C-alpha cells in the first residue's frame, strides 16, 4: 500500500479516539491530534499559551453571521482572528503530513483540508444514544448524553465555520461507521481494510 492518510471525525462519546489509536497501531503509523495545535502555535510564535488555553482558543469561533471565513477564503486581506490563524497553520501542517507520511489524523477538519488528495480516506464515527450515554457514565466521568450533545454542537459550529459544510453529513466522508456495531478492535480492523482496499 502506498502512503495512506486516514482522517477520523467523530461524535463525542462514540469511542472515536480509541478507534483512531487502534487504527494507527494496526497500520504502524503516527496518530496526530492535539499536537497539531502545538505545532501551529509554535509556527505562530504563541508558545506562551498552555495546552488548555490553546484548545479553548482553537474551539471558540464567533457566530457565523459576524465573521464567516471558511478555509477556502485563505487569501483574505486584513488582520485575521488568532483562531483563524491557528486553523490555517494547522491546515498547512496537515497538508505536509499527508504528502510526507502515512498517518491517522483525528479531528481538526482534516477530512476537508485533504478532500482532494487521492491517498486520503475520510471516516466519520458515530453511535447510538444508548452507547454514548453508557460511555458518558463510564468513560467520561459521569457526563450525561446532553453533555455529550453539547460538545457535538461545539464541534459542528467549528466545522461549519471553517468548512461551510455540515459536521457528520455522510456525503462529506468516504466511510461512515457505527461504533456500537462491534468492538473497537473490530471497527479499527474494518477501517484499515477499507483503506487498504481503496488506497493503492
Amino acid at each position: 500500500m502506498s502512503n495512506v492518510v486516514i482522517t477520523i471525525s467523530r461524535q463525542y462519546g462514540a469511542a472515536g479516539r480509541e478507534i483512531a489509536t487502534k487504527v494507527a497501531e494496526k497500520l504502524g503509523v503516527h496518530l496526530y491530534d492535539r499536537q497539531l495545535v502545538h505545532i501551529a502555535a509554535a509556527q505562530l510564535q504563541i508558545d506562551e499559551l498552555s495546552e488548555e488555553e490553546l484548545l479553548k482558543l482553537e474551539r471558540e469561533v464567533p457566530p457565523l453571521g459576524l465573521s464567516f471565513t471558511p478555509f477556502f477564503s485563505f487569501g483574505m486581506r486584513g488582520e485575521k482572528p488568532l483562531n483563524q490563524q491557528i486553523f490555517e497553520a494547522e491546515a498547512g501542517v496537515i497538508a505536509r503530513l499527508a504528502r510526507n507520511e502515512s498517518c491517522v489524523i483525528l479531528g481538526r477538519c482534516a477530512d476537508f483540508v485533504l478532500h482532494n488528495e487521492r491517498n486520503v480516506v475520510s471516516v466519520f464515527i458515530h453511535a447510538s444514544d444508548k452507547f454514548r450515554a453508557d460511555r458518558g457514565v463510564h468513560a467520561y466521568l459521569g457526563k450525561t448524553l446532553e453533555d455529550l450533545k453539547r460538545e457535538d454542537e461545539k464541534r459542528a459550529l467549528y466545522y461549519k465555520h471553517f468548512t461551510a459544510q455540515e459536521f457528520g453529513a455522510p456525503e462529506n466522508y468516504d466511510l461512515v461507521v457505527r461504533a456500537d456495531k462491534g468492538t473497537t478492535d473490530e471497527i479499527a480492523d474494518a477501517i484499515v481494510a477499507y483503506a487498504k482496499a481503496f488506497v493503492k
Side-chain angles (χ1 to χ4, degrees), residues 180-194:
D180 50 341
K181 289 292 187 180
T183 66
T184 52
D185 261 315
E186 290 168 338
I187 301 298
D189 283 336
I191 292 170
V192 169
Y194 184 94

Side-chain angles (χ1 to χ4, degrees), residues 18-46:
E18 292 91 332
I19 293 169
T21 299
K22 287 183 179 291
V23 169
E25 288 172 354
K26 290 173 185 293
L27 288 172
V29 302
H30 285 106
L31 168 65
Y32 292 100
D33 180 15
R34 291 180 178 179
Q35 60 267 57
L36 293 173
V37 73
H38 290 284
I39 297 170
Q43 290 181 355
L44 296 171
Q45 299 182 332
I46 52 173

